[in-house]
Amino acid sequence: MGDLFVLAISCIFINNILLAQFLGNCPFLGTSKKMETAMGMGMAVVFVLVMAGMITWIVDVYLLKAMNVEFLRTVSFILVIAALVQFVEMFLKKSIPGLYAGLGIFLPLITTNCAVMGVCLINIKEEYTFIEALVSSFAYAVGFGLALVLFAGVRERVILSRVPKPLQDTSIGLVTAGLIALIFTIFRGMV
Amino acid sequence: MIKRSFFALSKPRLTYDLLDTSLQSAEPLAVPGSLTLLLPEKIDSAKKALIGPGDAVKKGQKLKLYDDSTPYVLSPVAGTIKGFDSYSDDFGNKATYIMIKPNPSAKGDEQWAQTNLEQTLEFAVGHLGQIPGALPFSTLANPDYDIRTIVVTGADTDLLCDTCQFVCSAYADQMAAGARILKAMIRADRICITVPENLSVQVDLDGFNILRTSDTYPSNLPAMVMKDHLGKVLSPGTIPENEGVCFIRPEALVSLARIYETGHPVFDKVITLIDKGGKRYRVKATIGTPISKILSCFNVQINERDRVIIGGPMRGLATYTVHHPVVPDMDTIMVQDRDVIAELSDSACVNCGECIRICPANVPVNLLVRYLEANLYEEAADRFDLESCIECGLCSYVCRARIPLYQYIRLGKHELLTLRENA
Amino acid sequence: MREMLSMIVVLTVLTAVSGGLLAAVEQTTRPQIEEQVLKFQKEPAIKEIFPDATNNPIQERADVTADGTTLQVFPAVLSNGKKAVAFEAKGTGFGGPVGLMVGINIDTDEIIAVRVTTHSETPGIGSRAKEDLSFVSQFAGKSMSANFSLKKGGGDIDAMSGATVTSGGVSQAAIAAQALYKKLKPEIVKQIAN
Amino acid sequence: MTNTKLIVSHAPFWHSGDSLFQQNLNFLIALVPAALFGIFKFGAPALGVLTLATSSAMLWEVIMAIISKQKIAIADMESAVIGLLFGMMVPATMPWWVVITGTFVAVVLGKYVFGGIGGNPFHPTLVGIAILMMSWPAFLDFDTAYVSYQFDFTALAPLAALKSQGTSVLSSFSTYDLLMGNEVGGIGSTFGLGIIIGGIYLILRGYTRWEIVVAFIAGILITATLFYVLHPDTYAPPLFHLFSGYTLLGAFFLAVENSSSPVHRIPMLVYGFLGGFMIILVRNIGIYPDGTILSILLINLINPLIDVIKPKALGKGVSHA
Amino acid sequence: MAQSLVKEFTKGLWAEIPPFRLVLGLCPTLAVTKTVENGIGMGVATTFVLVFSNILISMLRNIIPSKVRIACYIVIIATFVTIVEFMMQAYTYELFLKLGIFIPLIVVNCIVLGRAEAFAGKNTVIPSAADGLGMGIGFTMSLAALGAVRELIGAGTLTVWGGSPIFEIGHGYIPFQFMVEAPGAFIGLGLMLCLMNLIGQK
Ligand SMILES: Cc1cc2nc3c(=O)[nH]c(=O)nc-3n(C[C@H](O)[C@H](O)[C@H](O)COP(=O)(O)O)c2cc1C
Ligand SMILES: Cc1cc2nc3c(=O)[nH]c(=O)nc-3n(C[C@H](O)[C@H](O)[C@H](O)COP(=O)(O)O)c2cc1C
Ligand SMILES: Cc1cc2nc3c(=O)[nH]c(=O)nc-3n(C[C@H](O)[C@H](O)[C@H](O)COP(=O)(O)O)c2cc1C
Ligand SMILES: Cc1cc2nc3c(=O)[nH]c(=O)nc-3n(C[C@H](O)[C@H](O)[C@H](O)CO)c2cc1C
Ligand code: SF4
Ligand code: SF4
Ligand code: SF4
Ligand code: SF4
Ligand code: FES
């Protein structure tokens, strides 16, 4: 239990998927101009990542490793994630329209998001157990959401300040993200 | 002007001035050789005006531009219309100056003689809309509001001003009479009057519901009086009238009483002039008198780049011309030397939080100003309480970056209205 | 229906072709990949640990197993005829796992030398563990039963200044090597005897 | 009189007289005791670094304004404060080119790119120091910086010594010594008493928000006490933390930077407390010897999120009659 | 024909150069540009996948039913990604170690799927190949440029291929380490973007 807690803390802060592992940067910059959007994306990622983390772990251990075809990992993971996103989208549309309306436009974005694929691959590379993989997927997703929301908070203000013209928009967004990555090194070595 | 104190751990406190008792009466000023009336409607060259240069006007005559227009002014004298000029205010609202040359020999008060002085609201709306003190009859008659409470601002709303206090003490009887007339016209349940809690002058206020207001600015502003004394907090974007409350000047009641007492219209307005040194002068001037006449009467010298402010230091309006006339709601004229004028800047908000500390309405001014600068008015209203602002001007007074915040906010509200009207 | 069928057929065929192709590529590249891994990760370290080896430890590598633990070992015959073995153990440093190749004299259970193999430490700070030998050379000559903890933790090893975390990782790896060696030594001796 | 040009400006026509220049002038005044002490202790090189840092920061501001054809805004002294604070946080032996590179990073990456005054989401000086720390840590190493000096006290940076040698070194640093600046460190960051006096001056003058300072110090003391009470052998006592390293400078001068800190009361308290808490967390379980710089940058980062906790605006939520 | 081919090829080199113009594919851009060498390696690997997946997809575009088109594209792309992965492991192992997880992640690189969907699925083989090659080279150039800036400032060297630098600033230079650290990647890219905006404005 304690180990899982440490794992979770480490995935959220120390090895933050965005700021320490460089995964999921396109949505990081794309969906952080408004707090509302950022929160929607954060929630969508938590939802999909937890499910993807579990399913790809099962696929890897019970299919790929069992049949000794690990070289199909990339192909099968991406298919699983794409199918999952499609399925989640259909399911939500039918059964929880409220949530679907909230997440809607962010779901398709997630398929081509390094963070989801990356975490699934990390789970395998680190040889996590199923429970560890579950915790790590959830915690990485929370870390993604946290970084995204923090970034959006700052960015909402930066957009309103008098940023020199050539630096506006993505450029200053990247500079801000860099400083946030610098700040996140504060958590290094804490577990 | 009040300075930031050396140790400023607590927020600055600005206090109202009490009645200047050295001025016992208001000096009457002779009718000048030319008067200017301000009509809040612009001239439409496509339409044929009812009045034009050369027309003779009678004292008390109702002057309108067109048949179908609502705004009107009353001519304070008998004389001749000399011409028109256009005038535009702060937000580009257009109005018209009507120049009149008085003719002392003309007998021109028939207009009023012909009219029966009815004590009804309909009559008042049609004929008393421009009496000194500017009683808002059209508001009182507006069927959208259900005005049950009248609040007389016996305590002046802006700093330095003491006209209202003066009117209350000098014309207490007439004020009470005016209140009875008003009560008869409308269905008001009660008439309140605000009085500074430390006012030493004894004023007879029988029949009024007395509200003692504190001496700290902005406790005399309508929204604060509503909250502190009437127990009604205005929701953002509403005005006292929405809650059935109407704020009027004491002088409006005095004028009402005088008109029904004498059967004649009155046009002399009590005005306090505050010169550069803070010395006050009290004058009774005919509506339409150019400000320059009042200034020269007291030998108040105006130099290049000085300011002439109509109203008090926190909420007044600087005028660009000393020819601007006395209007029915003009109580105070303040002259400010160019040397004491605080420099404003176009700096960005530095987030010092001074405005947050002082804002009586808890408006997050630091963020609000960012959204206003970016022209995001809807967002400013939804998330940053633009409409909660009671327009006291304190944020601008303390702003460390010297941003004209008060003006931004007024402009923001104006733009928001335009936006919503166009939507 | 036709559309459905064509969807299924196309996807299945595509996936099958992809699987076949990848299987073939994997088969062809496997030996080359194994060689690369050895060449880049292990060989340099082993060469430094046993500069005077008379055999080729890489070629003579073998897997030894005991109690379900498998370890790849590199046996060496030194120029003075002594027998030695090298294997890799892992610890956790500042930026991730730190691999440590440990070379041991089988007869005396003394460390001949250790070298960092893989790491992802900060260049110039933690990476000194690999580049600057003054730190790892502390291990040389120590017995496999010595205390490999850092001095801060009560052991014998001086941490690198400014890189205590990396130092801790290396120390962790050395301690892991101790455990492995203890467990697998009989098997290793058997293997080398062959 | 009739044709006199009048000034048409907007209400209010009074101003409290406060200005950015006043604020920054007072900031500089408040920094004087600690800076002077640094000059006495570390001699001419310290004076050189402080002057160079202050002037180069102002120069960068001018250069950037000229390049981007903007109004030059050094008269508000904001960049002087950024520069002086930078100088006060670095050792007296820092080479000139490191100083000017540092102030360049602080002024340009910390402030200019965000649109200048009021736009910076993080404390510019801290951005400069943090980036320098990551790039050229050797120039910020106080243990090696003063090898040529002779001191009559332990010439070890207290926090670095604590990190590398554990609590056994604590006996070499008395609370009195730390408070009176008998330690090595940044030019202006060692004289605790001077910093406290300057800081209190600023609070009284109303130029810093006391809530932040108080909550910050409370965060440090409470967190450090918790650690200390649980494991007195492993962790340093609270006062050691409060008086060593950049802590006091952080509490009184860095965490309170306007643009990057909250303005509402509860957010200020949360902000300050979290800053103090993170510092102790970093020192006790993190990798950095001193956590002040990154902790303050971290609370700068969360500032926009927490500064939405504010008292309800007048009439908000009141239903229409 | 030849003219339009040239156009398909060159648009990726400036007008639509990823990731500057299309703000996509940021992860590899940020993560692997510590050195020019890494940038080029990543770029070449991505180019390989782009060209071959574009070719194959344009060949099969009439057979693939539109409803499962994305799935098919993904399978094709993933196949080539895996091939690259094996090849790099076998022949450029050191580079493979440095690029790590970002090689399999080419599969989710928005640029690759983006080109498949936007171009190869609608065009014939030769233009698709030209498009893929142009975009790939543009991407490689961007990574190399960012890598050059970061490596030069952050390490004082330029390493194009094979591990040893082709250029060193000199022994007096103390590398500005920040630029090769994670935060430096964001800021480096942000400032380069600013530079491109400045050039674009003129
Ligand atoms: C060493 C020094 C210390 C000063 N200290 C203060 C001070 O504590 N408070 C202050 O308001 N002005 C201080 N000043 C600034 C001048 O007195 C300044 O000109 C004056 O405050 C401006 O007056 P004003 O605010 O009325 O325009 C100081 C100036 C110097 C050179
Ligand atoms: C994390 C945290 C830390 C706090 N730290 C302090 C503190 O150090 N000092 C303090 O007076 N209040 C602190 N508070 C706030 C108080 O509990 C209380 O909410 C506040 O003082 C109420 O202030 P007010 O009602 O006067 O505005 C803290 C609150 C939180 C959530
Ligand atoms: C902005 C700037 C950056 C500099 N960067 C470095 C550097 O990274 N390394 C270095 O040794 N000198 C650097 N210099 C220092 C000078 O170029 C000069 O070579 C140095 O001070 C000579 O010192 P030395 O003779 O002691 O080596 C820099 C100077 C400036 C102005
Ligand atoms: C940018 C940066 C990189 C660091 N890299 C390492 C590292 O690779 N290994 C390490 O043990 N400490 C590292 N540290 C931490 C620090 O130098 C050291 O652990 C403490 O000073 C305690 O010795 C790093 C610190 C910073 C600021
Ligand atoms: S006239 Fe109006 S503003 Fe002036 S003192 Fe009277 S009530 Fe106040
Ligand atoms: S500014 Fe005018 S309305 Fe306001 S208080 Fe002064 S005199 Fe009255
Ligand atoms: S004018 Fe300023 S201080 Fe006054 S209520 Fe409005 S926002 Fe608040
Ligand atoms: S007083 Fe002015 S500068 Fe200070 S926070 Fe308010 S608006 Fe910003
Ligand atoms: S490359 Fe687009 S999210 Fe990573």
Side-chain angles (χ1 to χ4, degrees):
Chain A
M1 196 61 213
D3 285 352
L4 289 181
F5 178 74
V6 169
L7 175 68
I9 294 296
S10 135
C11 294
I12 295 176
F13 295 109
I14 297 118
N15 295 321
N16 187 280
I17 186 81
L18 273 167
L19 300 169
Q21 314 251 24
F22 286 121
L23 296 172
N25 286 290
C26 302
F28 187 51
L29 278 140
T31 64
S32 54
K33 285 191 200 167
K34 279 204 137 155
M35 184 57 83
E36 272 179 12
T37 324
M39 288 193 170
M41 184 68 191
M43 268 165 27
V45 167
V46 171
F47 200 80
V48 172
L49 190 41
V50 169
M51 299 193 60
M54 290 193 300
I55 297 177
T56 53
W57 189 89
I58 293 169
V59 166
D60 197 75
V61 171
Y62 292 105
L63 279 173
L64 302 180
K65 285 213 178 96
M67 291 161 64
N68 216 1
V69 285
E70 281 136 305
F71 55 83
L72 288 178
R73 189 174 287 144
T74 311
V75 181
S76 48
F77 276 23
I78 186 75
L79 275 178
V80 165
I81 294 171
L84 178 72
V85 172
Q86 283 280 318
F87 172 76
V88 166
E89 203 174 347
M90 271 165 17
F91 172 79
L92 285 185
K93 203 172 186 173
K94 278 220 177 90
S95 35
I96 324 176
L99 187 61
Y100 176 75
L103 302 184
I105 52 165
F106 301 112
L107 282 170
L109 268 177
I110 294 175
T111 321
T112 51
N113 174 341
C114 305
V116 176
M117 182 74 174
V119 168
C120 296
L121 290 173
I122 289 172
N123 284 342
I124 305 305
K125 194 176 141 226
E126 298 288 329
E127 300 179 354
Y128 286 146
T129 63
F130 182 75
I131 296 294
E132 282 170 342
L134 181 63
V135 170
S136 112
S137 308
F138 178 71
Y140 272 128
V142 169
F144 179 92
L146 179 76
L148 189 57
V149 166
L150 283 171
F151 184 41
V154 172
R155 211 167 171 205
E156 270 195 338
R157 285 204 185 185
V158 168
I159 285 174
L160 290 175
S161 53
R162 304 170 181 187
V163 177
K165 191 116 204 338
L167 278 154
Q168 275 169 12
D169 207 21
T170 313
S171 179
I172 190 69
L174 281 162
V175 173
T176 315
L179 294 179
I180 296 178
L182 171 65
I183 294 169
F184 258 65
T185 63
I186 190 175
F187 296 111
R188 280 193 187 166
M190 279 206 189
V191 293
Chain B
M1 111 157 82
I2 299 146
K3 276 277 181 188
R4 190 177 204 274
S5 58
F6 188 81
F7 291 117
L9 189 55
S10 60
K11 64 184 178 193
R13 190 169 155 268
L14 281 79
T15 51
Y16 286 107
D17 280 26
L18 291 179
L19 177 62
D20 186 345
T21 48
S22 65
L23 295 170
Q24 298 287 345
S25 63
E27 209 171 301
L29 195 72
V31 176
S34 165
L35 290 175
T36 309
L37 301 178
L38 186 61
L39 178 68
E41 183 173 23
K42 77 171 178 194
I43 293 184
D44 184 349
S45 50
K47 285 209 259 180
K48 171 98 183 71
L50 295 174
I51 48 176
D55 290 1
V57 292
K58 298 161 188 163
K59 181 170 179 183
Q61 182 176 336
K62 195 166 155 183
L63 305 179
K64 295 210 290 187
L65 279 181
Y66 309 106
D67 259 335
D68 53 348
S69 41
T70 349
Y72 66 87
V73 284
L74 302 175
S75 174
V77 291
T80 321
I81 296 181
K82 283 199 328 194
F84 300 124
D85 204 349
S86 67
Y87 170 82
S88 64
D89 78 359
D90 249 18
F91 301 122
N93 294 325
K94 292 276 191 291
T96 305
Y97 275 149
I98 303 174
M99 261 76 77
I100 292 180
K101 186 174 170 56
N103 183 355
S105 59
K107 279 190 48 90
D109 47 4
E110 294 111 43
Q111 178 78 19
W112 274 68
Q114 283 162 14
T115 308
N116 276 332
L117 275 181
E118 291 173 45
Q119 281 201 18
T120 64
L121 198 52
E122 289 71 38
F123 175 79
V125 171
H127 297 91
L128 305 180
Q130 292 287 311
I131 61 175
L135 196 55
F137 285 114
S138 51
T139 305
L140 293 171
N142 189 335
D144 292 347
Y145 306 130
D146 179 22
I147 307 290
R148 293 307 185 95
T149 308
I150 298 289
V151 179
V152 182
T153 54
D156 297 79
T157 53
D158 206 338
L159 297 173
L160 292 187
C161 303
D162 66 350
T163 317
C164 296
Q165 294 174 63
F166 170 75
V167 170
C168 294
S169 74
Y171 310 105
D173 297 343
Q174 282 169 323
M175 196 169 71
R180 282 191 295 277
I181 296 170
L182 183 63
K183 213 165 175 176
M185 283 183 181
I186 62 173
R187 294 189 309 146
D189 298 330
R190 61 173 179 163
I191 297 198
C192 312
I193 186 162
T194 56
V195 177
E197 61 183 359
N198 298 323
L199 187 69
S200 52
V201 181
Q202 275 307 311
V203 185
D204 181 18
L205 293 168
D206 276 351
F208 289 99
N209 199 331
I210 297 173
L211 313 173
R212 293 263 172 199
T213 55
S214 100
D215 65 348
T216 309
Y217 186 78
S219 57
N220 295 346
L221 288 189
M224 298 310 277
V225 173
M226 295 280 294
K227 169 169 151 278
D228 295 341
H229 298 281
L230 302 181
K232 289 178 180 170
V233 177
L234 290 179
S235 69
T238 61
I239 51 175
E241 281 79 1
N242 295 110
E243 292 283 341
V245 181
C246 184
F247 283 75
I248 63 170
R249 292 178 169 76
E251 198 180 359
L253 293 180
V254 174
S255 303
L256 201 58
R258 285 171 63 202
I259 288 169
Y260 285 103
E261 229 170 71
T262 61
H264 287 287
V266 294
F267 293 104
D268 47 346
K269 174 81 192 73
V270 177
I271 286 174
T272 307
L273 170 66
I274 307 173
D275 74 7
K276 293 179 193 170
K279 185 167 163 28
R280 292 190 180 82
Y281 309 90
R282 205 91 71 195
V283 66
K284 258 191 170 181
T286 308
I287 287 174
T289 307
I291 290 174
S292 54
K293 290 283 176 227
I294 303 178
L295 297 175
S296 55
C297 171
F298 296 104
N299 288 323
V300 174
Q301 205 54 45
I302 306 279
N303 300 318
E304 197 88 342
R305 308 183 66 77
D306 285 351
R307 266 188 298 203
V308 174
I309 297 155
I310 299 168
M314 299 304 283
R315 293 160 48 92
L317 273 173
T319 174
Y320 58 78
T321 164
V322 289
H323 301 303
H324 191 81
V326 169
V327 289
D329 59 354
M330 179 188 288
D331 303 318
T332 310
I333 298 167
M334 182 181 160
V335 181
Q336 206 173 28
D337 192 84
R338 59 178 167 192
D339 290 342
V340 304
I341 294 171
E343 233 176 279
L344 292 181
S345 85
D346 61 349
S347 162
C349 163
V350 298
N351 214 43
C352 68
E354 291 288 312
C355 51
I356 302 296
R357 280 208 294 174
I358 205 165
C359 177
N362 288 334
V363 176
V365 190
N366 62 331
L367 293 177
L368 175 62
V369 61
R370 286 158 218 250
Y371 281 79
L372 292 180
E373 273 188 15
N375 302 339
L376 300 169
Y377 302 110
E378 288 288 359
E379 213 152 358
D382 291 347
R383 288 174 59 195
F384 303 102
D385 307 317
L386 172 62
E387 293 173 296
S388 289
C389 166
I390 64 165
E391 306 195 8
C392 66
L394 282 171
C395 49
S396 293
Y397 173 77
V398 296
C399 181
R400 190 167 292 165
R402 305 212 170 187
I403 305 168
L405 295 169
Y406 177 72
Q407 189 61 16
Y408 277 14
I409 290 173
R410 291 209 314 147
L411 184 70
K413 286 183 173 179
H414 177 80
E415 293 289 327
L416 186 66
L417 273 179
T418 322
L419 220 66
R420 287 187 179 160
E421 272 165 18
N422 295 343
Chain C
M1 197 58 219
R2 254 188 71 92
E3 198 196 7
M4 194 73 181
L5 204 69
S6 91
M7 272 160 59
I8 294 172
V9 169
V10 169
L11 253 184
T12 317
V13 170
L14 207 60
T15 320
V17 170
S18 154
L21 185 64
L22 291 181
V25 174
E26 201 251 4
Q27 280 297 322
T28 10
T29 50
R30 184 184 291 162
Q32 175 72 16
I33 291 174
E34 271 172 22
E35 205 171 289
Q36 291 268 341
V37 171
L38 286 172
K39 182 170 164 224
F40 282 101
Q41 290 189 355
K42 320 249 156 110
E43 194 176 304
I46 290 172
K47 281 235 171 89
E48 283 188 34
I49 292 173
F50 306 127
D52 56 346
T54 54
N55 65 336
N56 184 341
I58 300 283
Q59 258 171 22
E60 293 175 20
R61 67 183 182 269
D63 286 349
V64 295
T65 308
D67 301 342
T69 315
T70 304
L71 182 70
Q72 192 177 42
V73 298
F74 303 89
V77 182
L78 307 184
S79 56
N80 56 9
K82 293 240 163 68
K83 289 199 166 167
V85 69
F87 60 89
E88 194 182 11
K90 299 233 183 253
T92 308
F94 184 73
V98 178
L100 188 71
M101 185 67 74
V102 184
I104 302 162
N105 182 328
I106 301 229
D107 303 327
T108 59
D109 286 352
E110 259 174 29
I111 290 184
I112 296 168
V114 305
R115 287 293 182 274
V116 171
T117 50
T118 53
H119 72 86
S120 38
E121 304 305 282
T122 325
I125 302 177
S127 68
R128 279 178 297 156
K130 181 168 183 172
E131 297 142 8
D132 174 358
L133 299 184
S134 57
F135 174 67
V136 280
S137 59
Q138 292 180 68
F139 290 90
K142 286 208 161 54
S143 154
M144 274 312 270
S145 50
N147 186 346
F148 292 152
S149 301
L150 296 181
K151 286 212 168 130
K152 198 178 161 191
D156 302 335
I157 305 298
D158 277 319
M160 289 179 286
S161 69
T164 26
V165 185
T166 310
S167 310
V170 172
S171 133
Q172 226 181 19
I175 293 167
Q178 266 176 330
L180 282 171
Y181 189 65
K182 206 166 145 198
K183 195 160 160 193
L184 295 170
K185 182 169 177 201
E187 289 298 317
I188 295 172
V189 173
K190 231 191 280 169
Q191 182 74 34
I192 288 173
N194 294 340
Chain D
M1 171 151 120
T2 50
N3 290 320
T4 315
K5 254 206 214 106
L6 299 174
I7 299 285
V8 189
S9 56
H10 305 293
F13 301 97
W14 276 358
H15 194 274
S16 66
D18 200 1
S19 68
L20 284 172
F21 172 76
Q22 280 284 318
Q23 167 199 295
N24 292 327
L25 180 70
N26 276 285
F27 238 89
L28 295 175
I29 292 169
L31 288 170
V32 162
L36 269 185
F37 180 88
I39 295 170
F40 279 123
K41 191 164 76 171
F42 302 117
L47 181 62
V49 168
L50 291 183
T51 347
L52 180 64
T54 314
S55 54
S56 64
M58 296 174 83
L59 196 66
W60 289 125
E61 169 104 27
V62 173
I63 291 174
M64 292 317 289
I66 290 174
I67 289 177
S68 55
K69 302 190 185 78
Q70 288 166 344
K71 209 176 76 189
I72 296 173
I74 50 164
D76 61 29
M77 307 274 273
E78 182 98 350
S79 39
V81 172
I82 295 174
L84 182 61
L85 275 172
F86 180 92
M88 290 175 65
M89 294 178 74
V90 303
T93 52
M94 183 174 265
W96 62 271
W97 52 271
V98 179
V99 174
I100 60 172
T101 311
T103 55
F104 175 81
V105 175
V107 170
V108 176
L109 266 190
K111 188 177 149 201
Y112 170 79
V113 298
F114 291 105
I117 196 153
N120 55 297
F122 309 109
H123 194 304
T125 305
L126 293 183
V127 169
I129 300 261
I131 289 179
L132 220 53
M133 194 87 105
M134 194 174 246
S135 303
W136 296 328
F139 295 112
L140 282 155
D141 183 341
F142 299 120
D143 290 333
T144 53
Y146 297 113
V147 284
S148 60
Y149 281 76
Q150 291 294 318
F151 294 118
D152 50 5
F153 49 81
T154 320
L156 278 179
L159 289 167
L162 174 69
K163 189 114 234 165
S164 57
Q165 296 169 36
T167 43
S168 57
V169 297
L170 287 177
S171 55
S172 337
F173 306 102
S174 77
T175 305
Y176 174 81
D177 279 349
L178 294 178
L179 193 59
M180 298 312 293
N182 291 330
E183 58 176 315
V184 292
I187 296 169
S189 69
T190 58
F191 184 34
L193 190 63
I195 296 172
I196 293 174
I197 291 172
I200 289 177
Y201 166 79
L202 269 190
I203 290 179
L204 292 179
R205 291 296 318 266
Y207 286 113
T208 56
R209 310 198 264 277
W210 63 269
E211 291 93 335
I212 294 176
V213 180
V214 169
F216 197 94
I217 292 175
I220 289 170
L221 293 181
I222 292 171
T223 317
T225 308
L226 282 181
F227 272 102
Y228 184 63
V229 167
L230 292 178
H231 298 283
D233 301 336
T234 331
Y235 301 116
L239 284 186
F240 174 81
H241 282 299
L242 184 60
F243 294 142
S244 57
Y246 293 136
T247 324
L248 286 172
L249 203 64
F252 285 102
F253 292 99
L254 299 171
V256 295
E257 198 268 335
N258 281 330
S259 178
S260 53
S261 62
V263 293
H264 295 287
R265 178 152 298 165
I266 291 176
M268 283 194 277
L269 295 174
V270 174
Y271 168 93
F273 191 89
L274 193 67
F277 170 79
M278 280 309 299
I279 287 184
I280 301 301
L281 212 61
V282 171
R283 288 181 187 174
N284 285 350
I285 66 171
I287 55 156
Y288 299 99
D290 191 344
T292 312
I293 295 163
L294 288 179
S295 296
I296 294 177
L297 287 171
L298 183 75
I299 51 177
N300 288 169
L301 173 60
I302 62 161
N303 161 38
L305 283 196
I306 57 172
D307 208 15
V308 295
I309 308 166
K310 54 176 203 252
K312 216 169 60 178
L314 189 72
K316 189 105 172 177
V318 173
S319 60
H320 288 255
Chain E
M1 178 68 200
Q3 221 172 9
S4 76
L5 259 190
V6 170
K7 211 184 86 210
E8 301 308 349
F9 176 72
T10 51
K11 71 175 186 281
L13 303 185
W14 181 256
E16 293 178 24
I17 186 170
F20 291 116
R21 293 291 151 91
L22 318 159
V23 185
L24 294 175
L26 288 176
C27 304
T29 308
L30 292 165
V32 305
T33 49
K34 273 187 190 181
T35 61
V36 187
E37 184 185 11
N38 290 2
I40 293 177
M42 186 73 210
V44 169
T46 310
T47 307
F48 175 87
V49 175
L50 256 170
V51 171
F52 282 95
S53 60
N54 260 13
I55 290 176
L56 202 66
I57 286 168
S58 63
M59 271 161 62
L60 299 180
R61 74 182 191 285
N62 294 326
I63 306 171
I64 295 173
S66 74
K67 279 202 178 142
V68 287
R69 118 188 142 262
I70 299 283
C72 293
Y73 295 171
I74 287 177
V75 171
I76 293 169
I77 294 168
T79 307
F80 284 110
V81 169
T82 315
I83 291 175
V84 167
E85 202 177 343
F86 283 129
M87 293 296 181
M88 291 186 72
Q89 247 172 312
Y91 300 105
T92 57
Y93 187 74
E94 267 189 305
L95 191 61
F96 172 80
L97 282 184
K98 285 183 190 142
L99 302 184
I101 196 172
F102 289 94
I103 295 296
L105 283 180
I106 294 175
V107 77
V108 283
N109 186 323
C110 318
I111 298 168
V112 182
L113 192 64
R115 290 333 288 175
E117 174 75 356
F119 200 91
K122 298 177 188 142
N123 288 284
T124 50
V125 176
I126 308 256
S128 297
D131 174 78
L133 193 63
M135 284 290 163
I137 292 178
F139 186 61
T140 311
M141 279 175 11
S142 303
L143 294 199
L146 183 59
V149 170
R150 292 182 63 194
E151 189 186 347
L152 201 61
I153 301 175
T157 57
L158 283 180
T159 315
V160 174
W161 203 256
S164 54
I166 56 159
F167 174 77
E168 264 179 83
I169 293 183
H171 290 294
Y173 182 73
I174 305 176
F176 201 70
Q177 191 85 50
F178 175 75
M179 284 307 287
V180 291
E181 292 280 344
F186 285 96
I187 292 180
L189 183 60
L191 296 182
M192 277 184 73
L193 211 60
C194 166
L195 204 67
M196 290 211 28
N197 289 343
L198 268 177
I199 296 171
Q201 266 174 18
K202 295 238 167 83

